[in-house]
Amino acid sequence: MTTSLPPISTLLGPPAPPSLPQLPYQRWASQHPPKDPVHLFTHKTVLVTGSNTGLGFEAALKFARLDAGHLILAVRTPTKGEVAKQRIVEATKYPSERISVLKLDQGSFVSVRGFLRDLEKVLRGRGLDVVVLNAGMAAPRWRVCEETGWEEAVQVNVLGTAMVGMGVMGFLKAGGKAKGDGEGELGQLTLTGSVGHMYVKREDMMGLLDVKEEEEEGGLLRVVGSREFFGVEKSYSVIKVLTMYVMQGLMECARREEDGEVGVWVNVVCPGFCVTDLGREFPWYLVWMTRVMHWYCGRTAEQGGRSLVSATLLGEEGHGGFWVNDGLARQGDMVTSEEGQRLQKRLWKEIRDICKRELSIK
Ligand SMILES: NC(=O)c1ccc[n+]([C@@H]2O[C@H](COP(=O)([O-])OP(=O)(O)OC[C@H]3O[C@@H](n4cnc5c(N)ncnc54)[C@H](OP(=O)(O)O)[C@@H]3O)[C@@H](O)[C@H]2O)c1
Protein backbone atom coordinates (compact mmCIF):
# COMPACT_ATOMS: atom_id res chain seq x y z
CA MET A 1 0.00 0.00 0.00
CA THR A 2 1.49 3.34 -0.99
CA THR A 3 0.70 6.33 1.20
CA SER A 4 2.03 9.83 1.60
CA LEU A 5 2.39 9.27 5.35
CA PRO A 6 5.83 9.55 6.97
CA PRO A 7 7.57 6.28 7.97
CA ILE A 8 6.52 5.49 11.54
CA SER A 9 10.20 5.33 12.56
CA THR A 10 10.39 9.12 12.12
CA LEU A 11 7.59 9.60 14.67
CA LEU A 12 8.94 7.27 17.37
CA GLY A 13 10.66 8.66 20.45
CA PRO A 14 12.71 7.17 23.30
CA PRO A 15 10.71 4.60 25.29
CA ALA A 16 10.05 5.22 29.00
CA PRO A 17 12.27 3.19 31.36
CA PRO A 18 10.44 -0.10 31.99
CA SER A 19 8.33 -0.78 35.10
CA LEU A 20 8.23 2.78 36.47
CA PRO A 21 5.44 3.37 39.02
CA GLN A 22 2.76 5.88 37.94
CA LEU A 23 4.20 9.10 39.43
CA PRO A 24 7.85 8.65 38.31
CA TYR A 25 6.47 7.59 34.90
CA GLN A 26 4.55 10.88 34.61
CA ARG A 27 7.60 12.83 35.77
CA TRP A 28 9.69 11.09 33.08
CA ALA A 29 6.98 11.91 30.50
CA SER A 30 6.96 15.61 31.46
CA GLN A 31 10.74 15.70 31.00
CA HIS A 32 10.48 13.92 27.63
CA PRO A 33 7.76 15.74 25.67
CA PRO A 34 6.57 14.21 22.39
CA LYS A 35 8.08 15.22 19.07
CA ASP A 36 6.36 18.08 17.26
CA PRO A 37 5.11 16.60 13.94
CA VAL A 38 6.29 18.34 10.78
CA HIS A 39 4.44 16.27 8.18
CA LEU A 40 2.08 18.39 6.06
CA PHE A 41 -1.70 17.83 5.83
CA THR A 42 -2.02 19.69 2.52
CA HIS A 43 -5.37 19.00 0.76
CA LYS A 44 -6.66 17.05 3.77
CA THR A 45 -9.93 17.82 5.52
CA VAL A 46 -9.40 17.58 9.27
CA LEU A 47 -12.05 17.65 11.99
CA VAL A 48 -11.25 18.09 15.70
CA THR A 49 -13.92 17.90 18.41
CA GLY A 50 -13.57 19.98 21.59
CA SER A 51 -11.21 22.28 19.69
CA ASN A 52 -12.02 25.60 21.35
CA THR A 53 -9.57 25.00 24.21
CA GLY A 54 -6.99 22.68 25.75
CA LEU A 55 -5.55 19.81 23.74
CA GLY A 56 -8.13 20.04 20.97
CA PHE A 57 -7.32 23.71 20.34
CA GLU A 58 -3.56 23.03 20.29
CA ALA A 59 -4.04 20.15 17.85
CA ALA A 60 -6.25 22.30 15.58
CA LEU A 61 -3.63 25.06 15.64
CA LYS A 62 -1.01 22.53 14.53
CA PHE A 63 -3.19 21.16 11.73
CA ALA A 64 -3.53 24.77 10.48
CA ARG A 65 0.27 25.28 10.70
CA LEU A 66 0.71 22.00 8.83
CA ASP A 67 -1.43 23.34 5.98
CA ALA A 68 -4.62 21.24 6.34
CA GLY A 69 -6.82 21.87 3.32
CA HIS A 70 -9.94 22.46 5.41
CA LEU A 71 -10.17 22.58 9.20
CA ILE A 72 -13.44 21.85 10.99
CA LEU A 73 -13.75 22.90 14.61
CA ALA A 74 -16.55 21.01 16.35
CA VAL A 75 -17.37 22.83 19.59
CA ARG A 76 -20.06 22.88 22.25
CA THR A 77 -20.38 26.69 22.17
CA PRO A 78 -20.09 28.28 18.70
CA THR A 79 -19.00 31.70 20.08
CA LYS A 80 -16.04 29.95 21.76
CA GLY A 81 -15.34 28.20 18.45
CA GLU A 82 -15.29 31.56 16.62
CA VAL A 83 -12.78 32.91 19.17
CA ALA A 84 -10.62 29.80 18.65
CA LYS A 85 -10.85 30.27 14.87
CA GLN A 86 -9.72 33.89 15.23
CA ARG A 87 -6.80 32.85 17.44
CA ILE A 88 -5.71 30.25 14.87
CA VAL A 89 -5.94 32.74 12.00
CA GLU A 90 -3.97 35.38 13.92
CA ALA A 91 -1.28 32.92 15.04
CA THR A 92 -0.78 31.20 11.68
CA LYS A 93 -2.16 33.50 8.93
CA TYR A 94 -4.22 30.44 7.93
CA PRO A 95 -7.06 31.61 5.62
CA SER A 96 -10.20 32.02 7.74
CA GLU A 97 -12.41 30.74 4.90
CA ARG A 98 -10.74 27.34 5.28
CA ILE A 99 -11.98 26.99 8.88
CA SER A 100 -15.57 25.93 9.62
CA VAL A 101 -17.02 26.09 13.12
CA LEU A 102 -19.79 23.58 13.84
CA LYS A 103 -21.83 23.17 17.00
CA LEU A 104 -21.55 19.80 18.73
CA ASP A 105 -22.78 19.03 22.23
CA GLN A 106 -22.09 15.39 23.02
CA GLY A 107 -24.38 15.68 26.01
CA SER A 108 -27.32 15.66 23.60
CA PHE A 109 -28.22 13.09 20.94
CA VAL A 110 -30.30 15.80 19.22
CA SER A 111 -27.18 17.99 18.99
CA VAL A 112 -25.06 15.10 17.60
CA ARG A 113 -27.66 14.50 14.88
CA GLY A 114 -27.75 18.25 14.07
CA PHE A 115 -23.95 18.31 13.93
CA LEU A 116 -23.83 15.41 11.45
CA ARG A 117 -26.36 17.17 9.22
CA ASP A 118 -24.31 20.40 9.36
CA LEU A 119 -21.16 18.44 8.63
CA GLU A 120 -22.67 16.91 5.50
CA LYS A 121 -23.58 20.41 4.26
CA VAL A 122 -20.10 21.79 4.96
CA LEU A 123 -18.39 18.85 3.21
CA ARG A 124 -20.54 19.26 0.07
CA GLY A 125 -20.01 15.72 -1.15
CA ARG A 126 -16.33 15.55 -0.20
CA GLY A 127 -15.06 13.08 2.39
CA LEU A 128 -13.08 13.53 5.58
CA ASP A 129 -9.42 12.57 5.87
CA VAL A 130 -8.70 12.97 9.58
CA VAL A 131 -11.02 13.08 12.60
CA VAL A 132 -9.81 13.57 16.16
CA LEU A 133 -12.52 12.74 18.71
CA ASN A 134 -11.06 14.74 21.57
CA ALA A 135 -14.08 16.33 23.29
CA GLY A 136 -14.44 15.01 26.81
CA MET A 137 -14.93 15.86 30.44
CA ALA A 138 -13.85 14.71 33.89
CA ALA A 139 -17.07 14.49 35.91
CA PRO A 140 -16.62 16.29 39.24
CA ARG A 141 -19.65 14.59 40.78
CA TRP A 142 -22.41 12.19 39.85
CA ARG A 143 -24.80 14.03 37.53
CA VAL A 144 -27.32 12.91 34.97
CA CYS A 145 -27.89 14.49 31.54
CA GLU A 146 -31.42 15.82 31.52
CA GLU A 147 -32.12 15.02 27.87
CA THR A 148 -30.82 11.48 27.76
CA GLY A 149 -30.97 10.22 31.35
CA TRP A 150 -27.38 8.91 31.19
CA GLU A 151 -24.70 9.86 33.71
CA GLU A 152 -22.82 12.83 32.24
CA ALA A 153 -19.39 11.27 31.60
CA VAL A 154 -20.96 8.10 30.15
CA GLN A 155 -23.07 10.32 27.91
CA VAL A 156 -20.37 12.77 26.76
CA ASN A 157 -17.23 10.60 26.73
CA VAL A 158 -18.68 7.23 25.74
CA LEU A 159 -22.06 7.53 23.98
CA GLY A 160 -21.42 10.99 22.47
CA THR A 161 -17.97 9.96 21.21
CA ALA A 162 -19.20 6.63 19.82
CA MET A 163 -22.17 8.25 18.09
CA VAL A 164 -19.98 10.90 16.43
CA GLY A 165 -17.47 8.16 15.49
CA MET A 166 -20.17 6.05 13.86
CA GLY A 167 -21.68 9.14 12.22
CA VAL A 168 -18.43 10.29 10.58
CA MET A 169 -17.35 6.81 9.45
CA GLY A 170 -19.05 7.12 6.05
CA PHE A 171 -17.33 10.47 5.41
CA LEU A 172 -13.95 8.96 6.39
CA LYS A 173 -14.44 5.97 4.10
CA ALA A 174 -15.29 8.37 1.26
CA GLY A 175 -12.18 10.46 2.09
CA GLY A 176 -9.92 7.41 1.89
CA LYS A 177 -11.51 6.14 -1.33
CA ALA A 178 -11.21 9.52 -2.97
CA LYS A 179 -7.44 8.99 -2.95
CA GLY A 180 -7.65 6.17 -5.48
CA ASP A 181 -10.41 3.60 -5.26
CA GLY A 182 -9.45 2.15 -1.91
CA GLU A 183 -5.74 2.09 -2.78
CA GLY A 184 -3.25 4.12 -0.81
CA GLU A 185 -4.07 6.14 2.24
CA LEU A 186 -7.22 5.58 4.28
CA GLY A 187 -9.16 8.02 6.44
CA GLN A 188 -7.92 8.24 10.03
CA LEU A 189 -10.06 8.32 13.19
CA THR A 190 -8.26 9.03 16.47
CA LEU A 191 -9.83 9.06 19.93
CA THR A 192 -8.31 10.79 22.96
CA GLY A 193 -7.79 8.26 25.73
CA SER A 194 -5.48 8.07 28.69
CA VAL A 195 -2.76 5.92 30.25
CA GLY A 196 -5.12 6.05 33.25
CA HIS A 197 -6.94 3.10 31.64
CA MET A 198 -3.85 0.93 32.21
CA TYR A 199 -4.07 1.33 35.98
CA VAL A 200 -7.68 0.11 36.18
CA LYS A 201 -7.75 -3.17 38.07
CA ARG A 202 -10.25 -5.97 38.15
CA GLU A 203 -11.54 -4.70 41.53
CA ASP A 204 -12.37 -1.30 40.00
CA MET A 205 -14.66 -3.03 37.50
CA MET A 206 -16.24 -5.29 40.12
CA GLY A 207 -19.79 -3.93 39.83
CA LEU A 208 -19.59 -4.69 36.11
CA LEU A 209 -17.96 -8.10 36.23
CA ASP A 210 -20.66 -9.25 38.66
CA VAL A 211 -23.49 -8.68 36.17
CA LYS A 212 -24.40 -12.00 34.59
CA GLU A 213 -25.44 -11.92 30.96
CA GLU A 214 -28.96 -13.15 31.68
CA GLU A 215 -29.36 -10.48 34.42
CA GLU A 216 -28.37 -7.67 32.12
CA GLU A 217 -31.57 -5.69 32.41
CA GLY A 218 -30.79 -1.98 32.16
CA GLY A 219 -27.39 -2.86 30.74
CA LEU A 220 -23.80 -2.74 31.86
CA LEU A 221 -23.66 0.91 30.84
CA ARG A 222 -26.27 1.68 33.49
CA VAL A 223 -23.92 0.12 36.06
CA VAL A 224 -20.99 2.33 34.96
CA GLY A 225 -23.31 5.34 35.10
CA SER A 226 -24.86 4.51 38.46
CA ARG A 227 -24.44 6.60 41.60
CA GLU A 228 -23.07 3.53 43.45
CA PHE A 229 -20.31 2.97 40.86
CA PHE A 230 -19.25 6.62 40.69
CA GLY A 231 -15.96 7.96 42.09
CA VAL A 232 -14.25 11.04 40.59
CA GLU A 233 -10.91 9.38 39.81
CA LYS A 234 -12.07 5.79 39.40
CA SER A 235 -14.87 6.71 36.99
CA TYR A 236 -12.54 8.80 34.80
CA SER A 237 -10.12 5.86 34.40
CA VAL A 238 -12.90 3.31 33.86
CA ILE A 239 -14.40 5.62 31.21
CA LYS A 240 -10.99 5.58 29.50
CA VAL A 241 -11.12 1.75 29.48
CA LEU A 242 -14.46 2.17 27.73
CA THR A 243 -12.74 4.52 25.25
CA MET A 244 -10.51 1.57 24.32
CA TYR A 245 -13.63 -0.61 23.95
CA VAL A 246 -15.21 2.06 21.72
CA MET A 247 -12.07 2.11 19.55
CA GLN A 248 -12.35 -1.65 19.08
CA GLY A 249 -16.05 -1.31 18.26
CA LEU A 250 -15.39 1.48 15.78
CA MET A 251 -12.78 -0.75 14.13
CA GLU A 252 -15.66 -3.08 13.22
CA CYS A 253 -17.61 -0.12 11.76
CA ALA A 254 -14.45 0.86 9.87
CA ARG A 255 -14.68 -2.24 7.66
CA ARG A 256 -15.91 -1.73 4.10
CA GLU A 257 -19.33 -3.18 3.37
CA GLU A 258 -18.32 -4.49 -0.04
CA ASP A 259 -15.38 -6.70 0.98
CA GLY A 260 -14.97 -6.50 4.78
CA GLU A 261 -11.50 -4.95 4.40
CA VAL A 262 -10.35 -2.11 6.68
CA GLY A 263 -11.74 1.15 5.24
CA VAL A 264 -10.63 3.58 7.96
CA TRP A 265 -7.70 3.44 10.39
CA VAL A 266 -8.71 3.85 14.03
CA ASN A 267 -6.53 4.38 17.11
CA VAL A 268 -6.40 5.94 20.59
CA VAL A 269 -3.89 8.56 21.76
CA CYS A 270 -2.86 9.61 25.25
CA PRO A 271 -1.30 13.09 25.33
CA GLY A 272 0.25 12.49 28.77
CA PHE A 273 -0.74 14.44 31.86
CA CYS A 274 -1.24 18.01 30.57
CA VAL A 275 -2.00 21.42 32.01
CA THR A 276 -5.54 22.15 30.79
CA ASP A 277 -8.90 23.03 32.31
CA LEU A 278 -10.07 19.42 32.37
CA GLY A 279 -10.62 19.46 36.14
CA ARG A 280 -12.37 22.85 36.02
CA GLU A 281 -15.28 21.66 38.16
CA PHE A 282 -13.36 19.48 40.60
CA PRO A 283 -13.82 20.00 44.35
CA TRP A 284 -11.19 22.35 45.86
CA TYR A 285 -8.97 19.61 47.31
CA LEU A 286 -8.68 17.93 43.88
CA VAL A 287 -8.03 21.30 42.22
CA TRP A 288 -5.06 21.78 44.56
CA MET A 289 -3.83 18.25 44.09
CA THR A 290 -4.07 18.70 40.30
CA ARG A 291 -2.13 21.99 40.49
CA VAL A 292 0.70 20.34 42.42
CA MET A 293 0.71 17.49 39.92
CA HIS A 294 0.74 19.96 37.01
CA TRP A 295 3.76 21.65 38.56
CA TYR A 296 5.58 18.37 39.23
CA CYS A 297 4.82 16.36 36.13
CA GLY A 298 2.52 18.29 33.76
CA ARG A 299 3.14 18.71 30.07
CA THR A 300 1.88 21.89 28.40
CA ALA A 301 -1.30 21.61 26.32
CA GLU A 302 0.86 22.40 23.27
CA GLN A 303 3.09 19.39 24.02
CA GLY A 304 0.02 17.18 24.48
CA GLY A 305 -1.42 18.49 21.20
CA ARG A 306 1.66 17.14 19.41
CA SER A 307 0.60 13.57 20.25
CA LEU A 308 -2.94 14.17 18.98
CA VAL A 309 -1.46 15.16 15.63
CA SER A 310 1.24 12.46 15.40
CA ALA A 311 -1.37 9.79 16.24
CA THR A 312 -3.15 10.67 12.99
CA LEU A 313 0.01 9.91 11.00
CA LEU A 314 0.45 6.27 12.05
CA GLY A 315 -1.54 4.73 9.22
CA GLU A 316 -1.93 0.96 9.04
CA GLU A 317 0.72 0.31 11.72
CA GLY A 318 -1.27 2.32 14.26
CA HIS A 319 -4.64 0.70 13.49
CA GLY A 320 -6.07 -0.56 16.80
CA GLY A 321 -3.08 0.87 18.65
CA PHE A 322 -2.57 3.02 21.74
CA TRP A 323 -0.17 5.90 21.01
CA VAL A 324 1.59 7.51 23.97
CA ASN A 325 5.00 9.17 24.44
CA ASP A 326 5.76 8.72 20.74
CA GLY A 327 5.30 4.96 20.87
CA LEU A 328 2.67 2.25 20.48
CA ALA A 329 2.17 1.04 24.03
CA ARG A 330 0.84 -2.08 25.68
CA GLN A 331 -2.87 -1.69 26.45
CA GLY A 332 -4.30 -2.21 29.94
CA ASP A 333 -5.25 -5.63 31.34
CA MET A 334 -8.92 -4.72 31.35
CA VAL A 335 -8.62 -4.32 27.57
CA THR A 336 -6.42 -7.25 26.64
CA SER A 337 -7.48 -9.98 29.12
CA GLU A 338 -10.14 -12.55 28.20
CA GLU A 339 -12.42 -11.05 30.82
CA GLY A 340 -11.83 -7.57 29.41
CA GLN A 341 -12.58 -8.74 25.89
CA ARG A 342 -15.85 -10.36 27.03
CA LEU A 343 -16.79 -7.06 28.67
CA GLN A 344 -15.83 -5.15 25.51
CA LYS A 345 -18.19 -7.25 23.39
CA ARG A 346 -21.11 -6.83 25.77
CA LEU A 347 -20.56 -3.09 26.37
CA TRP A 348 -19.93 -2.33 22.71
CA LYS A 349 -23.17 -4.09 21.75
CA GLU A 350 -25.06 -1.84 24.18
CA ILE A 351 -23.24 1.31 23.02
CA ARG A 352 -23.66 0.46 19.32
CA ASP A 353 -27.36 -0.35 19.69
CA ILE A 354 -28.08 2.96 21.48
CA CYS A 355 -26.07 4.95 18.91
CA LYS A 356 -27.63 3.16 15.94
CA ARG A 357 -31.11 3.86 17.26
CA GLU A 358 -30.29 7.54 17.89
CA LEU A 359 -28.62 7.91 14.49
CA SER A 360 -31.63 6.48 12.71
CA ILE A 361 -34.03 9.12 14.12
CA LYS A 362 -34.83 11.65 11.42
N1 LIG B 1 -5.41 17.07 30.20
C1 LIG B 1 -4.93 15.85 30.39
O1 LIG B 1 -4.00 15.63 31.17
C2 LIG B 1 -5.49 14.69 29.61
C3 LIG B 1 -4.81 13.46 29.67
C4 LIG B 1 -5.32 12.37 28.94
C5 LIG B 1 -6.46 12.53 28.20
N2 LIG B 1 -7.11 13.73 28.18
C6 LIG B 1 -8.33 13.82 27.37
O2 LIG B 1 -8.16 14.83 26.39
C7 LIG B 1 -9.42 15.36 26.00
C8 LIG B 1 -9.37 16.88 26.03
O3 LIG B 1 -9.16 17.29 27.35
P1 LIG B 1 -8.43 18.63 27.78
O4 LIG B 1 -7.44 18.23 28.80
O5 LIG B 1 -8.01 19.42 26.62
O6 LIG B 1 -9.63 19.34 28.58
P2 LIG B 1 -10.38 20.73 28.37
O7 LIG B 1 -9.40 21.82 28.27
O8 LIG B 1 -11.39 20.75 29.46
O9 LIG B 1 -11.10 20.53 26.96
C9 LIG B 1 -12.18 19.68 26.81
C10 LIG B 1 -12.89 19.99 25.52
O10 LIG B 1 -14.03 19.12 25.41
C11 LIG B 1 -15.20 19.93 25.24
N3 LIG B 1 -16.40 19.33 25.81
C12 LIG B 1 -16.67 19.08 27.11
N4 LIG B 1 -17.93 18.61 27.23
C13 LIG B 1 -18.46 18.58 25.98
C14 LIG B 1 -19.71 18.22 25.44
N5 LIG B 1 -20.72 17.85 26.23
N6 LIG B 1 -19.88 18.27 24.10
C15 LIG B 1 -18.89 18.69 23.29
N7 LIG B 1 -17.70 19.10 23.74
C16 LIG B 1 -17.48 19.03 25.07
C17 LIG B 1 -14.88 21.23 25.95
O11 LIG B 1 -15.76 22.26 25.53
P3 LIG B 1 -16.11 23.50 26.50
O12 LIG B 1 -14.89 24.36 26.51
O13 LIG B 1 -17.30 24.11 25.88
O14 LIG B 1 -16.39 22.89 27.85
C18 LIG B 1 -13.45 21.43 25.49
O15 LIG B 1 -13.41 21.92 24.20
C19 LIG B 1 -10.43 14.75 26.96
O16 LIG B 1 -11.06 13.68 26.32
C20 LIG B 1 -9.58 14.26 28.11
O17 LIG B 1 -10.18 13.19 28.79
C21 LIG B 1 -6.65 14.81 28.85
Side-chain angles (χ1 to χ4, degrees):
M1 185 179 280
T2 51
T3 78
S4 67
L5 293 175
I8 194 169
S9 56
T10 62
L11 301 169
L12 295 173
S19 316
L20 279 183
Q22 192 169 1
L23 199 59
Y25 170 78
Q26 286 180 336
R27 176 81 173 161
W28 176 90
S30 68
Q31 292 167 339
H32 296 81
K35 289 186 196 172
D36 201 3
V38 291
H39 189 76
L40 294 180
F41 287 78
T42 311
H43 303 310
K44 291 193 175 177
T45 299
V46 179
L47 184 155
V48 186
T49 68
S51 40
N52 55 292
T53 187
L55 300 165
F57 172 78
E58 294 295 340
L61 185 63
K62 286 184 191 300
F63 284 122
R65 285 220 166 93
L66 295 171
D67 193 37
H70 181 189
L71 188 55
I72 303 173
L73 309 180
V75 295
R76 178 158 54 164
T77 313
T79 48
K80 289 189 193 173
E82 290 299 335
V83 173
K85 172 176 171 173
Q86 210 43 48
R87 284 176 63 200
I88 292 173
V89 169
E90 277 164 24
T92 61
K93 307 284 172 262
Y94 188 80
S96 66
E97 61 278 11
R98 276 163 53 190
I99 304 184
S100 305
V101 176
L102 297 185
K103 180 178 166 59
L104 167 66
D105 181 354
Q106 294 185 184
S108 155
F109 292 132
V110 177
S111 174
V112 175
R113 283 195 292 272
F115 160 74
L116 291 169
R117 280 195 298 272
D118 293 344
L119 180 62
E120 192 171 7
K121 281 184 209 149
V122 160
L123 289 174
R124 285 194 251 131
R126 283 172 295 128
L128 281 167
D129 298 286
V130 175
V131 172
V132 182
L133 297 182
N134 159 78
M137 48 123 30
R141 65 191 80 87
W142 187 79
R143 257 184 338 216
V144 166
C145 271
E146 257 178 51
E147 182 200 298
T148 67
W150 290 100
E151 187 274 326
E152 214 174 358
V154 167
Q155 170 64 44
V156 173
N157 296 7
V158 180
L159 290 170
T161 301
M163 189 168 159
V164 176
M166 286 168 70
V168 297
M169 202 56 90
F171 299 123
L172 279 167
K173 286 179 185 168
K177 272 194 186 138
K179 287 189 197 70
D181 262 347
E183 282 298 316
E185 209 171 309
L186 302 182
Q188 171 69 50
L189 179 64
T190 292
L191 287 73
T192 311
S194 166
V195 287
H197 93 268
M198 291 165 60
Y199 300 102
V200 173
K201 298 191 195 67
R202 215 179 160 268
E203 308 83 274
D204 300 318
M205 305 287 267
M206 243 8 181
L208 279 170
L209 297 169
D210 297 342
V211 182
K212 303 243 173 355
E213 260 174 73
E214 60 274 19
E215 285 173 17
E216 228 177 76
E217 213 181 298
L220 289 170
L221 216 46
R222 290 269 170 227
V223 177
V224 186
S226 66
R227 193 192 286 270
E228 299 69 44
F229 192 87
F230 187 82
V232 176
E233 286 158 279
K234 180 187 97 171
S235 294
Y236 182 75
S237 302
V238 169
I239 291 280
K240 292 300 183 188
V241 173
L242 267 59
T243 303
M244 304 304 291
Y245 292 171
V246 169
M247 168 187 74
Q248 293 179 339
L250 289 173
M251 285 168 71
E252 289 169 25
C253 306
R255 293 195 171 278
R256 295 195 299 229
E257 268 169 36
E258 55 277 24
D259 55 9
E261 292 293 315
V262 177
V264 173
W265 291 315
V266 188
N267 62 24
V268 172
V269 59
C270 172
F273 182 60
C274 299
V275 181
T276 68
D277 276 343
L278 189 64
R280 62 186 93 169
E281 286 187 278
F282 279 168
W284 65 269
Y285 57 91
L286 275 183
V287 169
W288 278 101
M289 219 172 86
T290 310
R291 278 190 194 156
V292 174
M293 289 280 287
H294 278 164
W295 165 78
Y296 182 67
C297 56
R299 282 178 175 163
T300 64
E302 184 278 320
Q303 290 170 339
R306 298 176 190 180
S307 291
L308 268 59
V309 176
S310 55
T312 71
L313 294 168
L314 302 175
E316 198 171 7
E317 284 170 272
H319 187 53
F322 177 56
W323 180 247
V324 56
N325 297 325
D326 290 340
L328 284 165
R330 187 182 67 80
Q331 302 181 20
D333 291 343
M334 286 318 303
V335 181
T336 55
S337 65
E338 252 181 58
E339 202 167 33
Q341 278 303 289
R342 276 200 299 277
L343 212 46
Q344 189 277 340
K345 284 190 179 57
R346 292 170 66 191
L347 269 160
W348 173 248
K349 185 180 177 320
E350 290 182 14
I351 296 165
R352 185 198 55 201
D353 289 351
I354 294 165
C355 294
K356 261 191 176 171
R357 191 184 60 231
E358 291 297 331
L359 283 166
S360 69
I361 297 171
K362 291 289 162 218

